[in-house]
Amino acid sequence: MSSIRKNITAFLFIVPGFAGVALFYVIPFIMSLSYATTDRSGNFVGIANFINLFESEAFRLASWNTFRFMIIAIPINIIIPLFIACLLFNMQGLKWLKTVFMSPLVIPTASIAFFFQSLFMSNGLLSRLLNNNVDWLQTDHAFSIAVGLYVWKNLGFNLVLALAARANIPKDYYEWATVEGMGEIRMFFKITVIYLIPGLFIMFVMSFINSFRIYRELYMLAGNYPHQSIYMLQHYMNNQFLWLNRQNLTTSAFITTLAISAFMVIFFIIDKKTEFGE
Amino acid sequence: MKIFLVALAFIYIIPLLIIFTNSFMSMGEIARNYGATHDYFDHELIGQISWVQYKLIPEIITLSQYHTLLFKTPMYLDFFINSIRLTLPIVIMHIVIGSTAAYGFMVWQSRFKEIIFCAYIIVMVLPFQATLVPNFIMADALGILNTHASIILPLGFSPFAVFIMRQCMKGIPVNIFEAAQIDGANHAQQFFHIAMPMAKGGAASLIILTFADSWAMVEHPMVFLRDSALEPLSVVLYRIGQDNIGLIFAASVFYMLPMIWIFLYGQEYFEQGVKLSALK
């Protein structure tokens, strides 16, 4: 009896947050779906909006760019910090460097955009060095610039996480391995890499969230219509919003949500199966 | 390797250094050094390219940018206050909701628990543009469009806080709670006397992350606020960068002060919290 009552009290701790998420995200999301299945005058059109969307070149380009950005930028943003963390961990007196790597987090987005503009504009630093007067943000290199910007900005937080994960590996493991006659390189792969895996979960989730946030910088760098290699889903949806096209906006939001949900559920199941997260 | 890392760190620190030193530059000098960035068609008129010049040390050190910012254009102070008005309630909501819900997720026994948490993670990772219409519908229904509440409420209820706090509380050994229960502690006592003190680092890193994120908000104010007097500094900085470049450095310093303060003040706790969340 008392244990059931205790369980109900435990549930009460979740209620305020749960009510808020339901009220501001879940319920209005379900309400918004009526736009996805109707036309502008409110007539039911079935899946016509979805077909239109998949036929739209802008939407396909935006989805592909977003996907490409994530599969390239997120792994880089995990591997580089892990690598730097392993280097930094063994260097006495240099750990304060991690604070330096966190510094982009405090710089305002507008100033970041300003710096990147002055680096890559046709009269910017890069063009000056190469003496060719190219507006790099209007070439295919814009994509690499976007990846670089993302990694530059978000590396610091993952580095702190990676350092923490590295510090959690007991020293004994390395001592035993040395006694066993294991080489440095084998130790790195057999101990360091394996024991860094639990920290990967949160690093991945943070990188994933921040990969959508790159839109802030891209928007300030290049406005609503950047070079086609960095035209993301966020640009597409924002433009639909500006054009008051609720049909396209909710339909693309629904598809995005569905894709992310599918991915996250799979990720969650793998995470539980491998006890990655426990 | 050491040299490589130090060089890399140097690249990281340059923008900050430039912002600080150039905030003491006269506006005329800034226009000369960087002004060309924004009207890049100029060189076609003059016939020669005016390259962007980075300068660490100003020709003349002056406080004119700060003077203009604080005394000649007092609305920047209002924008600063807007930023605080938006950020503080979000941070407070995150701490309260995040810590209680994380505790609830830890002690509540139910098979729906993981399903709800998975839904939370999905809502958390969605880009703003995907939740824009739902947030808009609800703000419209509550009649809070064009007020700060239309931004604070959806962001304050964001499951991010629950995720971070739960991640940190996972590190607390279960047998501490079992022992407390045998001694007759109820949930409120366990929450305030065990869970919260042990997750202090997590709360600190949540404060820093939420603060940094809300202070830098760009998309929400642009969508939900039509009245430009309500806008936070983060959005206003964008406009300064576009039409009043001479002020950008001092305005950036002004913008960064609270963030730097919070970072330096909370760094130790922050690292503790990060350590908890990376452990599990």
Side-chain angles (χ1 to χ4, degrees):
Chain A
M1 178 60 201
S2 98
S3 84
I4 293 170
R5 236 175 59 203
K6 271 211 123 162
N7 208 20
I8 293 171
T9 338
F11 175 68
L12 289 180
F13 277 84
I14 300 175
V15 170
F18 187 72
V21 172
L23 189 63
F24 282 94
Y25 293 94
V26 183
I27 295 170
F29 180 74
I30 296 166
M31 282 161 70
S32 77
L33 289 182
S34 64
Y35 293 118
T37 51
T38 53
D39 65 11
R40 280 182 174 229
S41 31
N43 304 317
F44 183 79
V45 291
I47 57 164
N49 287 331
F50 289 86
I51 293 169
N52 277 341
L53 202 64
F54 281 117
E55 279 171 355
S56 145
E57 219 159 285
F59 177 75
R60 286 209 305 246
L61 175 74
S63 318
W64 164 241
N65 280 341
T66 309
F67 177 72
R68 184 165 77 126
F69 183 81
M70 290 177 115
I71 56 166
I72 294 175
I74 295 176
I76 296 179
N77 195 42
I78 291 176
I79 292 166
I80 295 184
L82 281 175
F83 181 69
I84 298 181
C86 291
L87 287 179
L88 264 188
F89 188 77
N90 293 319
M91 289 180 187
Q92 288 312 309
L94 276 183
K95 294 226 175 82
W96 55 272
L97 279 183
K98 70 181 171 220
T99 315
V100 173
F101 288 116
M102 294 273 285
S103 67
L105 280 180
V106 304
I107 302 179
T109 318
S111 309
I112 294 179
F114 170 79
F115 275 112
F116 273 74
Q117 230 156 17
S118 57
L119 281 177
F120 297 111
M121 276 292 203
S122 60
N123 53 354
L125 190 67
L126 187 64
S127 292
R128 188 185 192 181
L129 292 175
L130 301 173
N131 204 9
N132 60 4
N133 211 14
V134 171
D135 186 356
W136 295 93
L137 285 163
Q138 293 302 330
T139 65
D140 283 334
H141 296 288
F143 184 79
S144 319
I145 296 174
V147 173
L149 175 52
Y150 166 80
V151 174
W152 175 75
K153 184 166 184 192
N154 295 299
L155 177 144
F157 183 70
N158 275 2
L159 176 65
V160 175
L161 277 171
L163 271 173
R166 178 65 185 77
N168 284 335
I169 307 176
K171 265 200 195 117
D172 306 1
Y173 293 2
Y174 292 95
E175 281 160 18
W176 291 331
T178 318
V179 173
E180 300 265 313
M182 210 187 255
E184 288 255 333
I185 296 165
R186 270 195 66 201
M187 258 197 265
F188 178 76
F189 285 104
K190 294 262 161 175
I191 302 174
T192 314
V193 172
I194 302 284
Y195 283 92
L196 284 178
I197 288 175
L200 286 182
F201 174 71
I202 187 163
M203 283 173 81
F204 173 78
V205 173
M206 294 300 293
S207 303
F208 195 90
I209 296 175
N210 287 326
S211 72
F212 287 122
R213 301 254 164 90
I214 191 67
Y215 172 74
R216 281 180 187 170
E217 278 83 10
L218 293 185
Y219 171 76
M220 289 195 177
L221 262 179
N224 285 325
Y225 298 96
H227 183 261
Q228 58 162 357
S229 67
I230 50 171
Y231 186 77
M232 304 284 180
L233 265 177
Q234 297 94 295
H235 290 100
Y236 178 81
M237 289 196 262
N238 198 54
N239 290 345
Q240 301 304 319
F241 176 75
L242 295 177
W243 296 335
L244 302 174
N245 191 336
R246 289 196 170 187
Q247 275 66 36
N248 273 358
L249 178 55
T250 42
T251 312
S252 48
F254 180 70
I255 292 170
T256 310
T257 308
L258 213 63
I260 293 175
S261 308
F263 179 78
M264 276 295 153
V265 167
I266 294 168
F267 181 72
F268 215 64
I269 291 170
I270 294 174
D271 182 57
K272 284 280 158 242
K273 281 252 163 76
T274 55
E275 293 295 89
F276 220 49
E278 292 301 310
Chain B
M1 270 311 175
K2 236 178 193 169
I3 296 160
F4 164 74
L5 280 179
V6 173
L8 193 64
F10 188 64
I11 294 174
Y12 263 78
I13 206 79
I14 283 180
L16 263 186
L17 275 180
I18 290 183
I19 291 177
F20 271 111
T21 60
N22 289 13
S23 71
F24 299 105
M25 206 178 250
S26 72
M27 288 185 232
E29 199 186 341
I30 290 180
R32 243 178 301 137
N33 291 345
Y34 304 99
T37 331
H38 290 269
D39 33 296
Y40 52 100
F41 293 115
D42 258 15
H43 66 263
E44 285 169 13
L45 301 174
I46 318 166
Q48 71 179 73
I49 303 162
S50 47
W51 298 110
V52 169
Q53 308 267 351
Y54 291 101
K55 262 207 198 133
L56 213 51
I57 315 287
E59 278 167 10
I60 306 159
I61 292 173
T62 152
L63 287 171
S64 69
Q65 281 189 57
Y66 290 101
H67 183 77
T68 314
L69 197 69
L70 297 175
F71 300 110
K72 288 191 189 154
T73 44
M75 71 264 197
Y76 288 121
L77 277 176
D78 295 338
F79 294 133
F80 188 81
I81 291 166
N82 282 343
S83 282
I84 294 176
R85 279 203 181 134
L86 284 166
T87 305
L88 274 190
I90 295 174
V91 171
I92 293 167
M93 279 176 80
H94 272 195
I95 290 296
V96 174
I97 294 170
S99 52
T100 48
Y103 177 78
F105 271 112
M106 192 167 55
V107 291
W108 183 41
Q109 308 292 334
S110 163
R111 51 207 160 100
F112 302 116
K113 187 161 91 169
E114 292 306 322
I115 296 172
I116 294 177
F117 195 67
C118 188
Y120 268 30
I121 291 191
I122 292 166
V123 173
M124 176 179 87
V125 298
L126 284 179
F128 165 68
Q129 289 75 13
T131 60
L132 191 162
V133 173
N135 289 350
F136 202 89
I137 290 178
M138 202 30 88
D140 197 24
L142 297 175
I144 53 171
L145 275 175
N146 200 24
T147 66
H148 283 167
S150 63
I151 297 172
I152 294 167
L153 289 174
L155 282 180
F157 280 115
S158 150
F160 179 71
V162 185
F163 173 75
I164 293 288
M165 289 307 287
R166 190 185 185 200
Q167 203 71 15
C168 294
M169 284 192 187
K170 273 180 176 172
I172 304 174
V174 192
N175 48 21
I176 296 183
F177 292 107
E178 284 164 0
Q181 265 164 18
I182 292 167
D183 289 343
N186 60 29
H187 277 307
Q189 286 164 331
Q190 286 181 49
F191 174 73
F192 284 112
H193 297 297
I194 306 172
M196 276 320 278
M198 293 196 78
K200 223 176 6 187
S205 40
L206 179 63
I207 291 175
I208 290 180
L209 288 174
T210 303
F211 191 92
D213 197 43
S214 317
W215 197 253
M217 64 167 81
V218 170
E219 298 103 321
H220 287 81
M222 292 207 300
V223 167
F224 293 114
L225 301 178
R226 244 163 296 142
D227 186 355
S228 62
L230 293 173
E231 283 178 345
L233 204 54
S234 46
V235 175
V236 176
L237 266 179
Y238 173 53
R239 269 192 266 119
I240 296 181
Q242 295 218 308
D243 10 278
N244 200 352
I245 195 93
L247 282 178
I248 185 128
F249 295 105
S252 299
V253 172
F254 191 48
Y255 168 99
M256 288 191 296
L257 286 178
M259 295 255 271
I260 292 176
W261 179 75
I262 260 193
F263 255 94
L264 292 180
Y265 189 77
Q267 205 189 8
E268 215 175 291
Y269 296 105
F270 176 64
E271 275 169 29
Q272 277 176 18
V274 167
K275 221 166 189 162
L276 282 174
S277 60
L279 226 178
K280 331 169 293 153

